[in-house]
Amino acid sequence: MAVSLRDRLYRTNAVVLARQDYGEADRIFILYTPGRGRLSAIAKGVRRPKNRMGPHLDYFTEVSLELAKGRDLDVVTQAATVNAHLGLRSDMDAYGHAAHFAELVRHLTQDRQENRQVYELLASSLSLLNDGVAAWPVARHFELSLLGLLGFRPELFRCLNCLRTLEPEANAFSNQLGGMLCPACRAVDPSAVVVSLDAQKYIRLLARSGLAAVIGIALTEPLAREIASLTASYTRYVAEREFASLGVLSSMRQAIGPAGQAPDPPS
Ligand SMILES: [Zn+2]
């Protein structure tokens, strides 16, 4: 028996993670939703100039959608903007970091696995970028929180091998084990990287006390690089893939300087 259209319809909020043109005038979207996790949907005719849904379905916007369940892809039947995040469009650094968040969520989550906290983290982090909050600490907070919400919270306070509370010394981070090793146990994972005391302090503070506790801390360039490379390397290990957005951002910064306009993020 055929299911009526009415029974196939549902409503949800969503953040647009990625999109791809399809056919003459359609577009396929990768969305993240509070109740259904990641999902792909098609919006038909959305690239036609007079289409009313098109303007709402831009990168990193938070939208309210009506969808119809389809055989392969669900079909977007209505779209309205909840939060356009217009501030991202004129700030290359914020836009590049928004692309990074979308890329991580897209590749670290599974289709149709509900995780409302991931949705809240994504929506609130995009809003912070949109409001002009410094992108660097927002990004480190996002990475650590996302990994935690997906079951990969790194152990930063105790040695993963001997379980001793870590002292301020040359402890190392092991991607494989998902956290710190004390100097005596470091050899358990020869690929573990020794972390400077200041970097250890910063990520512990961030993990324990949240974004507000670190937002005002000024970091030297080498320290910022060390911390970002620590979270990037663990994220890469967990996802088993490289991520492109931050690399694109940094080469754009070098090429056109901080005032330029960002193009579409990599898909
Ligand atoms: Zn140990």
Side-chain angles (χ1 to χ4, degrees), residues 57-76:
L57 290 163
D58 206 350
Y59 287 107
F60 321 134
T61 53
E62 192 177 2
V63 283
S64 164
L65 301 177
E66 182 189 77
L67 297 105
K69 282 180 204 145
R71 191 168 303 179
D72 300 315
L73 290 169
D74 290 359
V75 181
V76 182

Side-chain angles (χ1 to χ4, degrees), residues 108-170:
L108 283 165
T109 62
Q110 310 287 322
D111 270 346
R112 311 221 174 226
Q113 287 199 0
E114 173 183 342
N115 193 327
R116 283 173 193 272
Q117 288 171 295
V118 168
Y119 186 83
E120 292 304 322
L121 175 70
L122 177 62
S124 65
S125 300
L126 289 173
S127 291
L128 290 171
L129 291 181
N130 180 67
D131 295 345
V133 178
W136 195 93
V138 173
R140 303 297 83 77
H141 173 259
F142 180 84
E143 291 161 345
L144 272 186
S145 305
L146 181 66
L147 288 164
L149 291 174
L150 297 174
F152 301 98
R153 190 180 311 281
E155 174 56 63
L156 303 170
F157 299 93
R158 292 193 307 170
C159 171
L160 279 170
N161 191 54
C162 67
L163 305 182
R164 198 165 58 83
T165 300
L166 294 170
E167 300 293 329
E169 54 191 338

